[in-house]
Amino acid sequence: MYVHRIEFRCSAEQLLGRTAEFADELLGALQQNGLVCEAECSPVYLEGGSYVAIVLAPEQMSFAPELHSECVTKILGEGAALGITVTFTAVAEDSSGEQTCACHSPSGYVLFTNFLSVAPPVRCLDCFLPVPLYRFPVRPAGDFHDVICWQSDYRSCDRLQMNCTVLEKATTRQMSDVGSTLSKVGRENCSVLESLSGKPFYYYLYRANGRSAKSEMARCCPSCGQPWYLETALHSLFHYKCDQCRLLSNFAWNLSP
């Protein structure tokens, strides 16, 4: 993950208000393109005659023109027509952030996030590092809106169940039940991304509590009912894997050694 500075400079003082609106519009488009992580949390401030945004992006080269979606390119063109110049500058690597996947040709991917993560919600199945969304062929809608909305919903559920006060059971069920709305939307995203990338895309089902270690080892895939327990956990997290249903899960946390 890298910290970037985006400067929005306007050619006329009377355009300052429009420049602020333009900055918000462009940051939203960059997020939907997978170039910016959590644009809504990025501070935007006035510095001299320019607006400046400090953002997190997956990589140092995340804002290369060839990675811009049609929407981002269109908005930049509209800004240029108004006399607004946009400059992208990589500041430094985020000291608390993760590296991104460097695998040449991953064998597959998993849709995965949690309440602490601001990284892209796709992980390489081989190295388990985040994969920038813009590495995938663009979705039919032209951006990754559905994936990013799922990420926001999942993180909200995870935060509520971790806080253990409001809606703990309901949000845990959303993350654990293969038939929940959250899981259905997530699996739909996996299906689309798999068809676009040509690589297997797995969905992670959170497992909070189990009755006993013996029953945990014996539990079957909740979608097809077939055995899916792994003798050796994948990335020390996934103790269950169903290739047919593209599902992954963990050993119940309350029974973990």
Side-chain angles (χ1 to χ4, degrees):
M1 300 284 286
Y2 271 80
V3 178
H4 290 256
R5 171 191 166 99
I6 307 177
E7 182 177 353
F8 306 86
R9 180 176 293 277
C10 58
S11 57
E13 187 175 341
Q14 59 267 32
L15 285 175
L16 272 178
R18 180 65 186 95
T19 303
E21 296 173 1
F22 172 80
D24 288 339
E25 184 179 0
L26 180 60
L27 287 174
L30 291 171
Q31 180 176 16
Q32 299 305 313
N33 193 191
L35 300 174
V36 166
C37 304
E38 290 204 315
E40 65 273 15
C41 297
S42 301
V44 180
Y45 58 92
L46 188 60
E47 184 181 86
S50 304
Y51 279 96
V52 174
I54 303 299
V55 303
L56 272 179
E59 300 175 290
Q60 187 174 8
M61 43 70 68
S62 290
F63 296 112
E66 60 268 22
L67 298 178
H68 293 172
S69 66
E70 288 185 14
C71 181
V72 170
T73 301
K74 177 176 178 291
I75 293 173
L76 286 171
E78 292 171 350
L82 289 171
I84 301 173
T85 303
V86 182
T87 305
F88 301 95
T89 305
V91 178
E93 188 171 3
D94 178 17
S95 60
S96 61
E98 295 179 273
Q99 298 285 333
T100 54
C101 167
C103 298
H104 176 66
S105 181
S107 62
Y109 303 95
V110 53
L111 193 63
F112 179 91
T113 190
N114 58 47
F115 78 104
L116 291 173
S117 176
V118 296
V122 172
R123 301 259 173 169
C124 171
L125 200 62
D126 301 326
C127 69
F128 201 55
L129 288 174
V131 181
L133 294 176
Y134 50 74
R135 291 187 189 175
F136 299 99
V138 69
R139 293 167 59 90
D143 57 28
F144 298 97
H145 175 77
D146 292 344
V147 178
I148 291 166
C149 284
W150 172 87
Q151 178 186 23
S152 176
D153 290 342
Y154 192 100
R155 291 181 63 214
S156 296
C157 287
D158 195 25
R159 184 176 298 279
L160 285 170
Q161 71 90 17
M162 286 296 293
N163 288 345
C164 302
T165 52
V166 177
L167 297 175
E168 178 188 359
K169 290 184 179 179
T171 52
T172 300
R173 185 165 57 250
Q174 283 293 319
M175 296 188 297
S176 305
D177 188 345
V178 72
S180 72
T181 300
L182 184 67
S183 295
K184 287 179 180 178
V185 172
R187 295 184 76 190
E188 287 171 6
N189 280 316
C190 287
S191 178
V192 172
L193 289 168
E194 178 166 330
S195 66
L196 290 172
S197 66
K199 296 290 183 69
F201 246 92
Y202 290 79
Y203 185 76
Y204 167 63
L205 285 176
Y206 174 78
R207 177 73 167 175
N209 299 312
R211 293 190 302 272
S212 68
K214 183 177 180 180
S215 64
E216 270 301 287
M217 294 176 67
R219 71 182 177 100
C220 296
C221 171
S223 182
C224 67
Q226 295 300 308
W228 64 331
Y229 179 72
L230 299 174
E231 291 296 334
T232 303
L234 182 62
H235 301 302
S236 302
L237 173 62
F238 306 120
H239 298 82
Y240 305 87
K241 182 172 182 276
C242 181
D243 294 322
Q244 176 178 312
C245 302
R246 299 289 196 258
L247 290 174
L248 297 170
S249 189
N250 61 280
F251 204 83
W253 289 114
N254 69 318
L255 299 173
S256 296

